[in-house]
Amino acid sequence: MKRNIFLLWICLAMAGSLFQSCYDESNKYGNGLVDSAFRNISTDTSTVTVTALLIDSLETSGKSLVMLGEYTHPVWGKISSSSYVAYNCPSYTTDIDAQVVLDSLVLSFNYGGYYVGDTLPAQRINIHKLTEKVRLNDNGYLYNTSSFAYETEPLATSTFIPRPQSGEKLLVRLPDEMGQDFLTRFHKRDIQVSSDYFEDYFKGLVIIPEVTGNQSLLSFQVADSSATLVLHYHIIDEKENEQVLTFTPNTTTQFNHIDHDRTGTIMEPFPAGQKEIPSALLDNRGVLFGGLGWYTRLEFPFINNILMQGEQVAIESALLKIYPEPGTFSGTNALPDSIYLYIADENNVVTDAVTDYLGTAVQSGTLVKDDTYDENTYYYFDITDFMQQELGAFGMYKHNLQLVFNEDTYTTSFRNLTFSDQQGRSPIVLQLIYKIYESY
């Protein structure tokens, strides 16, 4: 029995000795082998280069949304949006022998809910008649740069106070002469307003904001009950019989044309078609802008330098923080809820996305708000997997990150984000923790 206890103590002593040789205070291990150590390094000074890029054109047709108005961004200048709407031929059923009288012709809109800018001042819009038929391009789309000819003189002008959250309608009365012409032709069964010829007779409308004075961009629905032309008339008989003829919009060809006036901004010196601008030429800024098509490329040119710090280097974590520039967002120009990072090759061709920890969903950029100090508001992404894969890559095997909105945000809103590069007011930060393995 005593011999067994003695052997047990010997075994425990040997185990304790082995434990001490593997985990000493200097982080060395492998006693009797090669002396070595791990070092954990934390840094937030890794270089991130920022470049603004412009999408050639955005598909704005078939979105069932009129974007209308004008807004001046504090950094990027004046943005205005007009909307082109063609109409379907309605079905007119009033008996040809009846006596009909025009009441009014009204353009009717339901608000879409989204807006950017100050909606307290009055907004002014002009409605013009198209002289050219709206036709989709060969690829089946129309873009924010597309346009069609229209009459110089407006059919009507409307001044109104925007009510984007009210549920109210925006009603614009069009000339009685136009309404009477419609009513007369439909009542007489004129071939010009038959389904085969209606597009030639009436090509549609374009709604254009006044070039000065408007301070908000608004959205309106495009549906069977919105962006409609409503012809009100009545039949004269024993008592007046009110009737309505509704022209519904062609939701396939309806699109929004968007202009960007860069006058007086840091973008003014660059040609409108320039698709790539380094942040150093934009006063150390990156930008995302819906409706216009701006997004940002992020590169990490010196990440491989950490490989020179030891025999083996492994990235443990990588956190990217993006700080919106104070003064570029407000209650009337809210920060976007979501932004995304995609992985692209040297030709800016997207190859993958930065996903969540499960690898099943694209990260949407967690927004941390500081309602007291705007400087402490930021988005963050966990880009550990991306940085681990990039470490050691070079030449054609290196990738960059593209900071973007989703498609709907680009084509149906004017959401925007302005942020700084590492020399700007609120610098972008890459927080790295990496492990260095050294042998002696």
Side-chain angles (χ1 to χ4, degrees):
M1 180 67 177
K2 290 181 179 180
R3 182 173 181 276
N4 290 339
I5 294 174
F6 177 75
L7 290 174
L8 177 61
W9 275 107
I10 291 177
C11 291
L12 290 173
M14 290 177 65
S17 175
L18 179 61
F19 182 84
Q20 289 178 0
S21 69
C22 290
Y23 299 96
D24 61 15
E25 291 180 355
S26 64
N27 230 15
K28 294 181 179 179
Y29 68 95
N31 190 31
L33 301 174
V34 178
D35 286 338
S36 59
F38 282 124
R39 285 192 297 129
N40 286 319
I41 306 295
S42 177
T43 179
D44 60 3
T45 60
S46 297
T47 299
V48 183
T49 62
V50 176
T51 305
L53 296 104
L54 180 64
I55 301 170
D56 285 338
S57 50
L58 295 172
E59 300 164 2
T60 60
S61 59
K63 303 300 179 181
S64 296
L65 205 66
V66 162
M67 303 297 294
L68 185 62
E70 184 179 271
Y71 167 71
T72 301
H73 188 275
V75 174
W76 306 112
K78 186 179 297 182
I79 298 93
S80 60
S81 181
S82 307
S83 195
Y84 289 73
V85 188
Y87 287 88
N88 301 310
C89 183
S91 177
Y92 183 83
T93 58
T94 298
D95 191 280
I96 195 171
D97 294 326
Q99 187 177 356
V100 294
V101 178
L102 173 73
D103 294 320
S104 64
L105 177 63
V106 176
L107 179 59
S108 174
F109 288 108
N110 294 331
Y111 284 99
Y114 168 77
Y115 68 94
V116 59
D118 187 357
T119 60
L120 292 178
Q123 182 123 323
R124 188 174 175 85
I125 57 173
N126 295 317
I127 295 90
H128 296 256
K129 192 174 182 179
L130 292 176
T131 59
E132 182 182 6
K133 285 191 287 189
V134 178
R135 287 285 181 262
L136 298 176
N137 293 334
D138 291 340
N139 62 2
Y141 297 101
L142 291 168
Y143 299 89
N144 58 342
T145 55
S146 301
S147 62
F148 294 86
Y150 56 86
E151 293 179 353
T152 304
E153 289 297 317
L155 289 170
T157 296
S158 176
T159 302
F160 63 97
I161 302 296
R163 297 283 186 264
Q165 306 289 342
S166 67
E168 298 175 3
K169 288 179 178 289
L170 173 62
L171 303 176
V172 182
R173 183 160 180 166
L174 298 182
D176 287 347
E177 294 82 3
M178 183 177 176
Q180 187 61 60
D181 189 57
F182 274 142
L183 182 58
T184 300
R185 289 179 182 274
F186 275 101
H187 193 63
K188 291 183 176 180
R189 276 54 173 182
D190 189 325
I191 192 172
Q192 293 298 314
V193 293
S194 67
S195 58
D196 292 335
Y197 295 96
F198 182 72
E199 276 188 307
D200 296 306
Y201 161 68
F202 179 58
K203 299 172 179 63
L205 303 173
V206 56
I207 304 98
I208 303 174
E210 283 278 3
V211 293
T212 58
N214 292 329
Q215 299 182 40
S216 60
L217 278 158
L218 310 167
S219 68
F220 298 92
Q221 300 173 32
V222 178
D224 288 348
S225 59
S226 182
T228 56
L229 276 176
V230 184
L231 183 68
H232 296 271
Y233 66 99
H234 63 269
I235 301 171
I236 298 178
D237 50 20
E238 293 181 359
K239 61 179 180 178
E240 291 190 353
N241 187 350
E242 295 182 355
Q243 300 290 319
V244 169
L245 182 65
T246 301
F247 301 72
T248 59
N250 184 328
T251 56
T252 301
T253 61
Q254 182 271 324
F255 74 99
N256 301 306
H257 172 90
I258 299 165
D259 291 309
H260 182 196
D261 182 359
R262 302 175 176 185
T263 304
T265 74
I266 52 178
M267 280 190 179
E268 184 177 3
F270 302 100
Q274 184 161 338
K275 303 298 190 294
E276 189 169 318
I277 308 177
S279 60
L281 301 180
L282 296 176
D283 289 351
N284 302 116
R285 291 181 173 101
V287 58
L288 280 69
F289 217 119
L292 300 181
W294 286 101
Y295 66 104
T296 297
R297 182 175 66 221
L298 305 176
E299 297 172 280
F300 312 90
F302 306 121
I303 189 64
N304 285 340
N305 287 359
I306 67 175
L307 293 172
M308 296 184 290
Q309 297 182 26
E311 289 193 10
Q312 295 183 31
V313 177
I315 292 176
E316 297 291 301
S317 70
L319 187 68
L320 184 69
K321 288 186 175 181
I322 297 168
Y323 291 82
E325 182 179 323
T328 64
F329 59 95
S330 64
T332 59
N333 181 30
L335 287 172
D337 295 325
S338 300
I339 55 178
Y340 302 89
L341 282 175
Y342 284 86
I343 301 169
D345 62 19
E346 60 180 355
N347 297 315
N348 288 326
V349 176
V350 172
T351 60
D352 207 343
V354 175
T355 57
D356 59 16
Y357 72 99
L358 294 175
T360 56
V362 180
Q363 284 190 52
S364 59
T366 302
L367 176 59
V368 178
K369 289 186 177 181
D370 185 335
D371 294 328
T372 305
Y373 303 103
D374 287 344
E375 288 84 355
N376 294 328
T377 293
Y378 62 89
Y379 295 87
Y380 72 84
F381 292 88
D382 184 341
I383 59 170
T384 303
D385 288 346
F386 169 77
M387 297 306 297
Q388 288 173 340
Q389 294 174 23
E390 282 299 293
L391 189 60
F394 61 92
M396 63 179 293
Y397 300 103
K398 286 185 70 64
H399 293 80
N400 62 73
L401 293 178
Q402 297 190 354
L403 184 67
V404 300
F405 293 132
N406 63 24
E407 181 181 351
D408 284 344
T409 301
Y410 273 117
T411 58
T412 62
S413 82
F414 294 92
R415 298 284 188 195
N416 56 87
L417 173 66
T418 303
F419 63 97
S420 300
D421 65 11
Q422 290 178 307
Q423 283 70 51
R425 176 178 173 183
S426 303
I428 189 172
V429 174
L430 174 61
Q431 293 181 339
L432 279 181
I433 298 176
Y434 57 96
K435 188 183 293 290
I436 299 174
Y437 168 75
E438 299 170 319
S439 61
Y440 305 97

